[in-house]
Amino acid sequence: AELWSTPSCGHTAGGIAARSTPSTPGRQDTCVMPVTLEAIDITLIALYFVGMAAVGIIFWARGGGDGGGQDEAESFFLAGRSMRWPAVGLSLFVSNVGSEHLLGLAGSASATGVACAYFEWSAALHLLLLGWLFAPVYLRCGIATLPEYLGRRYGPRLRRWLSLISLVLYLLTKLSVSIYSAATVLTSVVGWPRWIAAAGLVGLTACYTAVGGLAAVIVTDVAQSVVMLVGAVTMTAVGFGRVGGMSGLRSEPPPSLTSEEWSRFFHIYKPPDDPSFPTLGMLLGQHVAGVWYWCLDQAIVQRVLSTRTVHHAKASCLLAGFLKITPMFLMAYPGIIARKLFDAELYPANGIATPNQAFPLLLQHTLPPGLLGLNLAAAVAACMSSLDSVFTAAASLFCLDLYRGWLRPAASPHEVGRDCAISEVCNALAAPYNHCRWSASARPSARCSRC
């Protein structure tokens, strides 16, 4: 929820490393200055982009997901059902943990504490349900999409409607939020124009996704998960070093909080009257959406459908469940560290609170050259991993459920492959436009005068 409170331009109303701009009477209007990247930072970011482009070129040279005949769609969308559990487990984790997690969890933790990590820990239970209850049924049925399974049980009309609704939700929610959060980090820290950051991320992701299919996506997800985890570990370690470890973090509250309020930041349990994360309400209500997301969403389940056996499916879910324990320590605690170090900048007394600047402020003012580039690459990797999962899921829903299952049942494998590439391009073109159109009207009252 904190993600929606960021000013549309990504500029904070804080004070650190800021410069004044023409302001409205009675209002403080300052913007954080972007940092200048050192040569080692630029080199690390460039190496990351080169690596992702190389994956697309390799799969294009191999013929992408072309498996020939009726197996072509299965080869492209399900990687030939040949993936092993380590790659699928890492892909499950990094497909869920996007740049909105890096930005949003840090922002939520800076405002309310570690209770926001309940979403991450509850996902481990939902992943066990996916591996031991849902995945055996899906794999035994041999389905390629979740609407296909429901269509077999309840008829083709439900299959078409669920595919259409899922496509709309992917475009309006998942794509927009992922691109917005990554573009916010790049705009705030480096000063890249929002349109260029959004279009570049979408364009590169769409390229290797369209030419390589799910196999290319899972391969890149493995590399992106390593980059993201290493970057998060280094930033957390540097942050704890700045505040004197856990004891130094908890010893003295920020100026805007009392000692009692600050002590509650480190408790995952919240009373029923808590306005943000009441534990009882989370226990009773959050699991409904969690089971849908982890067990019934095509973007997640598609990876489990690509495993070679049900044992690989279970092991991949188990690995992803263990990895979902880490965001509390690697993403939520950095937000609390940011609150300790930059309280006046995140929550100015006479300005607009900007909790989503917690992560960019940590990048700007705590990381030395080299680690800054690594963590920027981690933020980009988190965004691209979320985008590629949505691109492959949307393409599979359109091509298998709508195009071949409804509009043109007699379409040849070549026609399905061609229209799959077209749908990937359409998603890529619509995503940055929808993101910028949304971000321009998200919070007009929170814009600074430069906008």
Side-chain angles (χ1 to χ4, degrees), residues 351-378:
I352 300 172
T354 54
N356 283 336
Q357 291 301 315
F359 181 70
L361 281 172
L362 282 174
L363 293 182
Q364 286 179 308
H365 302 289
T366 63
L367 297 180
L371 290 183
L372 175 59
L374 175 64
N375 278 271
L376 285 176

Side-chain angles (χ1 to χ4, degrees), residues 60-114:
W60 174 80
R62 292 180 177 178
D66 188 3
Q70 290 298 318
D71 292 333
E72 180 178 352
E74 183 175 287
S75 177
F76 186 88
F77 292 118
L78 297 178
R81 301 186 189 270
S82 62
M83 303 308 296
R84 298 178 181 272
W85 67 268
V88 175
L90 289 172
S91 183
L92 280 171
F93 171 69
V94 79
S95 296
N96 166 249
V97 178
S99 53
E100 69 272 16
H101 278 68
L102 297 176
L103 195 72
L105 273 179
S108 293
S110 73
T112 62
V114 298

